[in-house]
Amino acid sequence: MAEPLELKKTLNLPKTDFAMKASLPLNEPKQLEAWHSGNIYERILETRKGKPLFVLHDGPPYPTGEIHLGTGLNKILKDLVVKTKSMAGHYAPYVPGWDCHGLPIETQVEKELGGKGKVPPAEFRKMCRQFALRYVEQHKKDFKRLGIFGRWNDPYLTMSHEYEATIAGAFLDFMEKGYVYRGRKPVYWCLYDSTALAEAEVEYEDHTSPSIWVKFAVVGGGKGDAARIANDISAVIWTTTPWTLPHNRALAFHPDFQYAVVDTEKGTLLLAADRVAALQAECGIKEAKVRATFKGRDFEGMKFQHPFLPLQVPGILADYVTLDQGSGIVHTAPGHGADDFNSGQKYGLEVYAPLDDKGVYLEGLPEYKGKDVFTANPIIVKLLADRGALLGHHDYKHSYPHCWRCHNPVIFRATEQWFIKMDQAAHGKQKTLRAESLEEIHGVKWFPAWGEDRMYEMIEKRPDWCVSRQRFWGVPIIVFYCDGCGKRLEDFTALRNVVKWFEREGADAWYQHTPEELLPAGTKCSCGHSNWRKENDILDVWFDSGSSNLSVLKGAEWPADVYLEGPDQYRGWFHSSLLVATGIRDAAPYRGVVTHGWTLDEQGRPMSKSLRNALYPIEICEKWGADLLRLWVGSVEYQADVKMSERVMTQLSEAYRKIRNTFRFALGNLSDFNPSRDALSNEHLEEIDRWMLDRTAELVKKCREWYANYEFHRVYHAIHDFCVVDLSSFYFDVLKDRLYTKAAKSKSRRSAQTAVWKITGALVRLAAPILVFTAEEIWKFLPKAHSEPDSVHMSLFPEAKALASGIERSAAEKWERLAQVRAAVLVALEQARAAKTIGGGLEAKVYLHAGAELTGLQKLLEERQSGLPALFIVSQVVVDARASEGSVASEVLPGLSIKIERADGKKCDRCWNYSRHVGESARYPAVCERCTEALAEIESDGSANVAVT
């Protein structure tokens, strides 16, 4: 007879090369190289051919400088969307893009040149192109480092020939449809960069302005009783832009407000009755006696003397006048404000704004002529004081518009610009661009839902779109003027010839060829002349990026299924894309819009270099790894502002470690498992294994629903909790005895392995979109069926129905109750350890009794008594008919009585359980009856040493 087996070698201890320590910063680049050499993105798309199409259209960032955390958040979220849709069975291409034109690039190139105007326009454009390309390549490298799959070898660039031709063609479409006009209107103007700005190019920052209260003397006029007021009265206005006063052309009253004539020590004054107290507080007026009151509408047509110019200005009516600040009478300069301009159009007022591109007065009194507007502010304040028109003056800190690139304060300035009409219907159509766009908003699904109202409000209230810029790096506005009569060329067939030049040479053709070369030969004006000059302005960069859907999305890809960007894009890319698409194709370019919040530091402050609180994605990758950054993105409720700090990353690294160790345990216990050979069908699985498969199926169902709704944080927390609580702390803990001590090929152990294999396969696929590197690593070590691909990212999400074992609901409910009992027993065991009654759980004998209030539990415990030691990981369990003497009522599960004693018998040398039967086997005298049975099975099938350490 053969010698007895060495006990240690009969145990199936875990064995795996899947490392406990991830070393992500070291190992992730190796995986990136493997993906690159293996064309992972192309292979995924090949695998999904013929599947339903899903398109996330990438909003193009500017290729300037290092990617920051907000950009990393944005790109990882997009990658999560694309990967989840791909694994859900969609053909989901991802084409990254870059917005290469505009002020951000120009500003950087001008810095490198040491100023503006250093080189000719054509050379400057070449330098901008080279600068953009340099950072596009750097960004590509950085984005790929984050584990983002995409068409990196062929991204879309707004400066490509094809794209620039699309932009130019789109502008001509707008023009041919009758939307485009050239007009003189106030627009945001950057004095530093000498260009008009869109609303999306303006940011609000703190600024200190002079707050002044100014008198305009009544000359006469008005309606009703107001027409008879004395001319010793002065209307009071309040402004924080003294520099606009030389261009004042009216005073605006609200028609329904009550206005009072008030006698004060500073003269008799006219202002809104509800603002008298504010006037006194701001201007130090002690006495204010109301002489008479009038309705605002009575002052329409009344004349007022300008405080320092030989000019009388009228009273006008306007609904935008409020009582929140000031006097209730609004100083109106039609050349310097949208409301002012509209009122000016209504009343036929002069749009007067004689400033040059640097904000210098070209006309006016000697005191301020030749000065820029901000320099002129104190000069004009002094001028008012000298003329006796200044009632009050103090510094006023408020939020003021600044240029998004140079961060200098901007002004509203009336200039000749190109506009797209919001309230104009295209030729042959009934609805205006605004009306059509507002309709389209309701057909889009918004995540979060408030996005719909926000976009609606933006479109509803926006002015006409100023699409011209006074710069060089962009797509020129394709307009020609006759040298003979100055008329604009309106032959759109001829104009579209320029688009063909752009297709061949890009927009640089505009600067490298004469009009006669760009236009078809013989193109003549109606006046007979054939010489033309080109428009100097370029298009707004938001028109460029808003045209991306026209250039990038081909055929069935349009409209995109989803756009995903930050909250600023409601006035940026979401906004311009909607207008361009609606204007050209009469529909929104997206079916869904997802918005994420801003990235903040631990104190809730925006991250910035100046605050020294910025964290950069590449720094995070070097210290913690890209998967940890992705885990952070997947863990936060990204639709609100999200916080990031080293402490957050440290906490996440601990969560990651627990998830990794859960997978490592599973892989270690599958080292001898071949699915095609060893997997059992559901009907042959033990009940607890079937129950856990059903629990996993429930998790799969929920996670897939959350993924479909872009609720990634729910997926992360569910996976984390399932790994830590359901598996590591419960199921895997319970399985250890069965996995380690049963015969390797026993049905009981194969049942456990089958469940572990299925659960692990489901979990790794659920986690793959978030933990792209770790999931791929796990996949390499996971035993796979023959049909499984060699990359987890080519696989599909698990199907809940296929995973479920079909356990009856009544059986599942019993296991849920037993799990509650286990939780109560574990607390009692811990208390017994603390009291030195036992050293460890296997030294314990547990007495249980369930009271009548726990309906049916006593019967369940009696039925399952033989399996309870394994469930509790103790040596013995006794279910008493009544509570044993010395039992303690459980606080975890009221109604359950528990008593812990030391286990009976001796300790088994193999499984460490205590048993009265240790020593009964002559061949293996140091083991218990369970191990004796297992050893006999091992000897009969020769499976010893299958899983040695």
Side-chain angles (χ1 to χ4, degrees):
M1 189 174 183
E3 289 293 317
L5 300 173
E6 184 180 340
L7 295 183
K8 184 178 180 181
K9 291 185 177 180
T10 67
L11 294 173
N12 311 303
L13 297 177
K15 179 185 178 182
T16 181
D17 290 329
F18 181 75
M20 181 182 294
K21 184 175 174 60
S23 300
L24 294 175
L26 178 66
N27 292 322
E28 286 175 344
K30 299 174 186 176
Q31 182 59 65
L32 283 174
E33 181 55 38
W35 280 332
H36 175 70
S37 61
N39 298 315
I40 183 65
Y41 173 71
E42 292 76 13
R43 290 176 65 206
I44 291 171
L45 290 185
E46 183 66 29
T47 302
R48 303 288 188 262
K49 267 189 177 178
K51 301 294 184 183
L53 177 67
F54 181 91
V55 176
L56 177 146
H57 183 37
D58 188 33
Y62 291 107
T64 54
E66 184 179 2
I67 65 169
H68 53 76
L69 188 61
T71 314
L73 170 72
N74 175 270
K75 277 293 191 276
I76 291 172
L77 283 170
K78 290 173 180 175
D79 191 56
L80 288 176
V81 171
V82 173
K83 282 189 168 74
T84 56
K85 293 302 180 181
S86 174
M87 294 188 73
H90 289 273
Y91 183 87
Y94 174 62
V95 182
W98 278 268
D99 196 354
C100 303
H101 292 139
L103 202 55
I105 308 292
E106 287 199 39
T107 302
Q108 294 298 323
V109 172
E110 285 170 351
K111 284 181 182 177
E112 292 184 357
L113 286 171
K116 305 174 190 290
K118 300 288 186 180
V119 294
E123 178 64 21
F124 183 73
R125 287 176 60 86
K126 180 180 178 182
M127 294 180 71
C128 288
R129 186 177 298 276
Q130 291 170 344
F131 179 95
L133 278 174
R134 185 164 79 242
Y135 278 101
V136 164
E137 291 306 312
Q138 182 59 52
H139 283 193
K140 278 188 195 177
K141 180 181 175 183
D142 292 346
F143 290 143
K144 286 191 280 188
R145 177 64 186 87
L146 302 180
I148 297 166
F149 298 163
R151 201 176 77 187
W152 297 112
N153 60 338
D154 184 25
Y156 81 85
L157 306 178
T158 61
M159 65 181 181
S160 72
H161 294 177
E162 178 191 1
Y163 197 116
E164 289 182 332
T166 299
I167 297 168
F171 177 75
L172 289 179
D173 286 343
F174 268 92
M175 183 175 281
E176 191 170 11
K177 289 184 176 188
Y179 287 121
V180 178
Y181 70 96
R182 186 168 177 81
R184 191 162 185 262
K185 297 175 69 173
V187 295
Y188 285 115
W189 186 270
C190 177
L191 305 180
Y192 180 82
D193 292 310
S194 301
T195 186
L197 298 173
E199 277 200 48
E201 296 169 322
V202 170
E203 295 176 347
Y204 283 81
E205 301 175 15
D206 285 343
H207 182 71
T208 300
S209 300
S211 168
I212 59 173
W213 298 72
V214 181
K215 295 192 293 185
F216 279 65
V218 171
V219 176
K223 300 176 181 177
D225 292 339
R228 295 190 291 274
I229 66 173
N231 57 9
D232 64 340
I233 299 169
S234 294
V236 179
I237 66 97
W238 171 78
T239 183
T240 59
T241 54
W243 65 267
T244 61
L245 283 171
H247 306 154
N248 173 278
R249 290 300 179 264
L251 302 185
F253 296 76
H254 194 289
D256 299 326
F257 289 172
Q258 197 82 5
Y259 287 83
V261 174
V262 184
D263 292 321
T264 77
E265 67 267 28
K266 293 189 177 183
T268 304
L269 307 175
L270 169 65
L271 70 160
D274 288 348
R275 298 301 297 167
V276 173
L279 171 74
Q280 290 183 263
E282 293 279 337
C283 300
I285 294 175
K286 296 178 181 178
E287 298 291 334
K289 184 178 179 181
V290 176
R291 181 192 297 180
T293 60
F294 307 90
K295 282 289 187 182
R297 62 176 57 91
D298 295 337
F299 296 99
E300 185 177 27
M302 181 174 281
K303 295 293 184 180
F304 301 89
Q305 179 60 49
H306 192 284
F308 55 80
L309 293 176
L311 178 69
Q312 293 179 1
V313 299
I316 62 174
L317 303 181
D319 289 337
Y320 56 76
V321 177
T322 71
L323 298 175
D324 296 336
Q325 289 178 306
S327 66
I329 303 173
V330 175
H331 142 59
T332 301
H336 296 296
D339 288 334
D340 302 49
F341 176 82
N342 292 332
S343 289
Q345 295 296 292
K346 178 180 177 182
Y347 284 93
L349 304 176
E350 179 186 18
V351 181
Y352 186 65
L355 304 173
D356 70 8
D357 290 352
K358 293 296 183 183
V360 172
Y361 290 93
L362 301 175
E363 300 176 10
L365 299 181
E367 286 88 344
Y368 54 82
K369 183 179 178 181
K371 306 283 195 307
D372 72 80
V373 294
F374 293 116
T375 301
N377 266 335
I379 295 171
I380 290 171
V381 172
K382 183 177 185 301
L383 188 60
L384 290 167
D386 291 346
R387 301 291 178 94
L390 185 66
L391 281 172
H393 171 218
H394 67 272
D395 287 340
Y396 178 66
K397 188 175 182 179
H398 61 138
S399 183
Y400 186 85
H402 286 65
C403 175
W404 67 325
R405 298 312 303 174
C406 68
H407 296 285
N408 287 303
V410 301
I411 65 171
F412 250 111
R413 176 194 177 207
T415 60
E416 290 283 337
Q417 301 289 341
W418 289 96
F419 295 90
I420 288 176
K421 299 176 185 176
M422 291 299 299
D423 296 310
Q424 172 75 39
H427 295 319
K429 297 186 70 174
Q430 298 297 316
K431 293 178 182 175
T432 67
L433 179 59
R434 189 188 309 276
E436 276 201 73
S437 300
L438 291 173
E439 275 189 13
E440 287 300 310
I441 290 168
H442 295 313
V444 175
K445 191 168 185 180
W446 301 88
F447 302 87
W450 53 253
E452 179 175 352
D453 290 339
R454 186 167 184 179
M455 180 59 88
Y456 195 94
E457 184 179 0
M458 289 275 185
I459 298 293
E460 185 181 38
K461 295 181 178 179
R462 70 154 297 137
D464 287 351
W465 185 1
C466 176
V467 292
S468 51
R469 296 293 181 272
Q470 292 65 50
R471 306 294 295 186
F472 293 113
W473 181 228
V475 175
I477 291 176
I478 301 181
V479 168
F480 295 89
Y481 303 96
C482 175
D483 266 350
C485 66
K487 184 180 178 182
R488 178 164 60 85
L489 177 63
E490 295 183 353
D491 181 344
F492 287 96
T493 301
L495 290 171
R496 290 189 192 284
N497 198 64
V498 181
V499 177
K500 296 176 183 177
W501 278 94
F502 285 12
E503 289 171 351
R504 295 191 299 270
E505 300 182 11
D508 289 343
W510 188 259
Y511 300 90
Q512 295 168 347
H513 297 279
T514 65
E516 289 69 32
E517 290 174 308
L518 294 170
L519 293 168
T523 300
K524 288 187 176 182
C525 179
S526 58
C527 74
H529 281 78
S530 58
N531 292 328
W532 304 91
R533 60 182 175 85
K534 293 178 282 189
E535 170 64 58
N536 292 322
D537 289 352
I538 64 170
L539 282 164
D540 174 15
V541 70
W542 292 107
F543 192 91
D544 288 15
S545 60
S547 302
S548 63
N549 66 91
L550 305 177
S551 178
V552 180
L553 305 180
K554 308 296 184 183
E557 295 173 346
W558 199 99
D561 290 285
V562 72
Y563 279 30
L564 188 157
E565 301 297 335
D568 53 335
Q569 297 311 314
Y570 283 92
R571 62 190 185 121
W573 189 56
F574 296 159
H575 194 120
S576 63
S577 296
L578 177 64
L579 294 182
V580 170
T582 304
I584 301 296
R585 295 190 177 176
D586 302 317
Y590 36 67
R591 296 187 179 97
V593 171
V594 179
T595 310
H596 64 76
W598 303 109
T599 53
L600 310 174
D601 69 9
E602 200 167 18
Q603 283 75 46
R605 300 173 300 173
M607 290 190 172
S608 68
K609 288 182 180 178
S610 60
L611 290 175
R612 297 183 179 179
N613 63 349
L615 287 172
Y616 292 90
I618 298 309
E619 291 177 355
I620 293 171
C621 289
E622 290 171 352
K623 184 172 182 179
W624 284 291
D627 263 4
L628 262 294
L629 180 58
R630 295 180 68 95
L631 197 65
W632 170 71
V633 173
S635 71
V636 296
E637 294 190 47
Y638 66 86
Q639 292 178 359
D641 293 344
V642 292
K643 293 182 179 180
M644 165 62 96
S645 65
E646 294 222 4
R647 186 177 66 84
V648 169
M649 290 305 295
T650 301
Q651 290 173 343
L652 278 173
S653 64
E654 178 61 19
Y656 172 84
R657 183 188 65 79
K658 291 178 179 179
I659 293 171
R660 185 179 181 89
N661 283 346
T662 301
F663 279 110
R664 188 169 187 272
F665 175 89
L667 295 174
N669 284 284
L670 293 173
S671 60
D672 65 328
F673 184 78
N674 182 328
S676 60
R677 180 194 67 205
D678 302 323
L680 303 182
S681 58
N682 287 338
E683 63 268 20
H684 293 118
L685 298 180
E686 294 195 9
E687 195 175 71
I688 188 173
D689 300 329
R690 295 181 66 190
W691 177 54
M692 285 307 299
L693 284 175
D694 278 27
R695 293 282 302 278
T696 309
E698 291 172 12
L699 174 72
V700 167
K701 183 175 182 293
K702 290 177 181 177
C703 286
R704 292 195 60 170
E705 289 172 356
W706 291 329
Y707 269 142
N709 290 317
Y710 313 119
E711 296 176 286
F712 306 123
H713 67 287
R714 291 181 179 272
V715 176
Y716 158 73
H717 288 292
I719 291 175
H720 172 271
D721 293 348
F722 194 77
C723 285
V724 175
V725 179
D726 295 69
L727 295 182
S728 294
S729 296
F730 175 65
Y731 182 57
F732 286 176
D733 203 28
V734 171
L735 282 190
K736 286 176 183 175
D737 183 74
R738 189 161 26 130
L739 288 168
Y740 297 172
T741 66
K742 294 292 184 179
K745 300 178 183 178
S746 68
K747 181 179 177 182
S748 177
R749 183 167 179 270
R750 291 305 192 203
S751 173
Q753 286 183 303
T754 300
V756 169
W757 172 65
K758 288 184 175 182
I759 291 168
T760 305
L763 281 179
V764 70
R765 284 178 286 167
L766 287 179
I770 299 173
L771 296 173
V772 290
F773 294 96
T774 304
E776 192 76 303
E777 184 185 3
I778 292 166
W779 192 255
K780 292 174 185 175
F781 292 101
L782 180 68
K784 288 179 282 293
H786 293 306
S787 60
E788 296 285 4
D790 57 9
S791 170
V792 69
H793 301 295
M794 295 170 64
S795 69
L796 296 172
F797 281 141
E799 295 288 344
K801 288 183 179 179
L803 191 62
S805 71
I807 190 172
E808 291 185 6
R809 182 59 201 158
S810 59
E813 289 172 352
K814 289 177 181 179
W815 279 105
E816 288 164 8
R817 298 198 77 183
L818 291 173
Q820 293 174 339
V821 175
R822 183 178 188 270
V825 170
L826 292 183
V827 171
L829 288 171
E830 188 57 40
Q831 292 169 345
R833 269 192 289 269
K836 309 296 184 185
T837 303
I838 58 172
L842 291 177
E843 294 180 7
K845 181 177 183 179
V846 180
Y847 293 84
L848 295 175
H849 174 74
E853 62 268 38
L854 295 171
T855 308
L857 183 57
Q858 179 69 13
K859 182 181 179 182
L860 176 61
L861 294 175
E862 290 170 354
E863 290 174 355
R864 301 297 179 96
Q865 183 168 347
S866 62
L868 295 181
L871 183 63
F872 302 155
I873 315 178
V874 297
S875 290
Q876 292 129 27
V877 175
V878 176
V879 179
D880 288 322
R882 59 182 58 85
S884 301
E885 185 179 346
S887 292
V888 176
S890 171
E891 294 181 2
V892 176
L893 186 58
L896 181 68
S897 299
I898 306 173
K899 183 172 76 171
I900 307 295
E901 291 184 350
R902 288 191 65 84
D904 300 330
K906 296 179 181 179
K907 180 179 180 181
C908 173
D909 281 358
R910 184 170 178 272
C911 70
W912 295 4
N913 275 266
Y914 283 76
S915 172
R916 291 176 175 157
H917 300 287
V918 173
E920 291 181 355
S921 170
R923 185 167 176 79
Y924 295 103
V927 304
C928 66
E929 70 279 13
R930 293 167 59 254
C931 288
T932 300
E933 182 181 342
L935 289 167
E937 188 174 348
I938 292 169
E939 288 182 328
S940 67
D941 64 22
S943 62
N945 206 23
V946 170
V948 298
T949 55

